[in-house]
Amino acid sequence: MVNAFPVTIRTEQISGGPNKIVYYPRVVRMQKTSLERMINMAIVRQTQQLIQEQVGNMPSTVVEMLGLYEIKNNQRNVLSLSLSNYTYHYQAAHGMTYIKSLTFDLQKGKQCQLKDLFKPGSDYVARLSSLINEQIRQRDIQTFDSPVKISPDQAFYIADKALVIYFQLYEITSYAFGFPMFPISVYAIQDIIDKEGPLGRLAQNN
């Protein structure tokens, strides 16, 4: 299987002064250079969007910025990663963090949206929303609205044999709770996942 081995990652950085540094990943030495280029362009674009979202119209008031990344999955031709950006503005009550994530199916040479992980026509929105609301009850999370419903292109990443659906700070609950993250085992949704897609590959026991 081509590209079945983990992708080699190198850390790059953008620095805007002593308290302003953003680290981001770069994939290197891939056999398929066009795929390597596509992945790296997507990472850079998302990194820049996060910076822009934080800076907005007030670049002069940024006191501190720290961008980090985590590789969530790098096996079985699935690369999934998250990018976070913490920024503190002058005289703000507290800093603000945003998280974005990117998932790539290296076998098909494409970036994945949430819908790409499931069989065509499956009502994955209702199914995932139901599983998330179950976790909200179990974990006693006080949400602004009940029940919570995800959007068809909800933010996610893949970590080993779990699909992790997440929301931004303030999106469904108070800031004090942090980032609401909901890991869903691939085996809990095995009947609706695309067997040829990333989740299908990770669900295999071999």
Side-chain angles (χ1 to χ4, degrees), residues 135-136 139-144 167-170 172-182:
Q135 286 193 37
I136 286 170
R139 290 157 59 185
D140 197 25
I141 301 169
Q142 305 301 312
T143 55
F144 299 138
F167 298 85
Q168 299 299 323
L169 296 173
Y170 294 118
I172 63 165
T173 188
S174 66
Y175 179 87
F177 183 80
F179 285 93
M181 303 218 170
F182 301 95

Side-chain angles (χ1 to χ4, degrees), residues 12 20-24 65-69 83-86:
E12 303 284 356
K20 297 170 190 173
I21 189 160
V22 173
Y23 297 99
Y24 64 95
M65 177 181 285
L66 178 62
L68 299 170
Y69 73 88
L83 302 162
S84 67
N85 185 300
Y86 165 84

